[in-house]
Amino acid sequence: MENKEKNESIDTSAIVKEPSKLWVFIKKYKYYVFLIILLIVSILYHIISVKMLQSTFTKEKNTITNTYKIKLDSLNSNRLQLTAKTFSWAIRSELMRENSEQVNQFFNDFVKNEDIIKLQYINASTSKIQISTNKKDEGTSDLKFIDINEQTVLQDSTSIELATPINGLNTKLGVFVMSVKKLNK
């Protein structure tokens, strides 16, 4: 029995934990393992930095785009206001000569521009649309713009309406209304 106990004690003392194969491999090729880990960390770092740069670029691009859309809309609105004011002077001179047929001709030529939706002249004394590029509107009442005393701009998501008063020598003759498509965004 003593012999058996000695064998057991010898066996337990002889069992020493062997290092794992992975640990042996790492110890044997530690320089290469270090380089591989360094390569992986470097690749991850660059992937993350590229993603962050793309995100920053996208935000800056959207900010710049929105800023210039606002500036472009403002320039377009100013251009349209000047056009409507100048056109209203031509209408005024023809109305003073009582030549509404010429105004109708102006409207028909001007509406050929693809951005123009419709043009209207609202008579101030009757509050009715006297001349329009949409003949269905002629003779109908439009009180939305009749009381304006200066150029007014109304915008929605698809169009811009410019209303310009037309004044005679002593009285208000009417209002010129120009409806224009908004620029595509």
Side-chain angles (χ1 to χ4, degrees):
M1 280 263 200
E2 279 182 30
N3 198 11
K4 197 175 186 185
E5 285 178 21
K6 278 186 181 180
N7 284 343
E8 284 181 17
S9 66
I10 292 174
D11 288 339
T12 56
S13 63
I15 300 177
V16 175
K17 205 173 194 184
E18 287 185 28
S20 69
K21 291 181 182 181
L22 178 64
W23 186 250
V24 172
F25 179 81
I26 290 173
K27 275 187 159 184
K28 186 174 181 182
Y29 300 105
K30 62 184 165 195
Y31 179 72
Y32 297 113
V33 170
F34 174 74
L35 288 177
I36 289 172
I37 291 172
L38 188 64
L39 181 66
I40 290 171
V41 168
S42 175
I43 289 172
L44 288 176
Y45 171 76
H46 288 326
I47 288 173
I48 291 170
S49 66
V50 165
K51 292 290 184 186
M52 289 175 59
L53 284 173
Q54 284 176 340
S55 173
T56 304
F57 172 75
T58 303
K59 286 177 186 176
E60 287 178 6
K61 179 183 167 190
N62 288 340
T63 302
I64 291 170
T65 302
N66 290 337
T67 301
Y68 281 100
K69 279 183 182 179
I70 291 168
K71 287 181 182 181
L72 187 61
D73 283 346
S74 174
L75 288 173
N76 186 40
S77 179
N78 290 342
R79 178 186 60 87
L80 289 173
Q81 287 176 5
L82 182 61
T83 301
K85 188 175 282 189
T86 306
F87 198 67
S88 71
W89 294 337
I91 295 169
R92 177 186 180 270
S93 66
E94 293 303 323
L95 290 174
M96 297 290 283
R97 292 186 203 118
E98 296 180 10
N99 192 359
S100 61
E101 187 58 39
Q102 185 64 35
V103 174
N104 198 15
Q105 186 65 38
F106 286 162
F107 280 15
N108 289 334
D109 285 342
F110 198 59
V111 82
K112 290 177 183 175
N113 184 328
E114 62 187 37
D115 293 333
I116 304 294
I117 298 171
K118 69 179 173 181
L119 304 170
Q120 296 176 330
Y121 168 71
I122 304 169
N123 190 324
S125 60
T126 62
S127 299
K128 293 188 180 209
I129 299 171
Q130 185 175 338
I131 304 170
S132 177
T133 54
N134 185 351
K135 299 303 177 192
K136 293 177 185 176
D137 292 340
E138 289 182 359
T140 61
S141 293
D142 190 351
L143 302 175
K144 183 163 70 170
F145 295 113
I146 200 63
D147 292 330
I148 66 165
N149 293 322
E150 59 184 38
Q151 193 171 43
T152 305
V153 178
L154 298 176
Q155 297 187 30
D156 62 19
S157 62
T158 59
S159 66
I160 301 171
E161 278 188 319
L162 292 108
T164 306
I166 300 174
N167 297 315
L169 298 174
N170 298 324
T171 61
K172 183 175 179 178
L173 297 175
V175 178
F176 167 62
V177 179
M178 179 170 68
S179 299
V180 183
K181 292 179 192 172
K182 266 194 168 179
L183 294 176
N184 293 334
K185 298 191 175 193

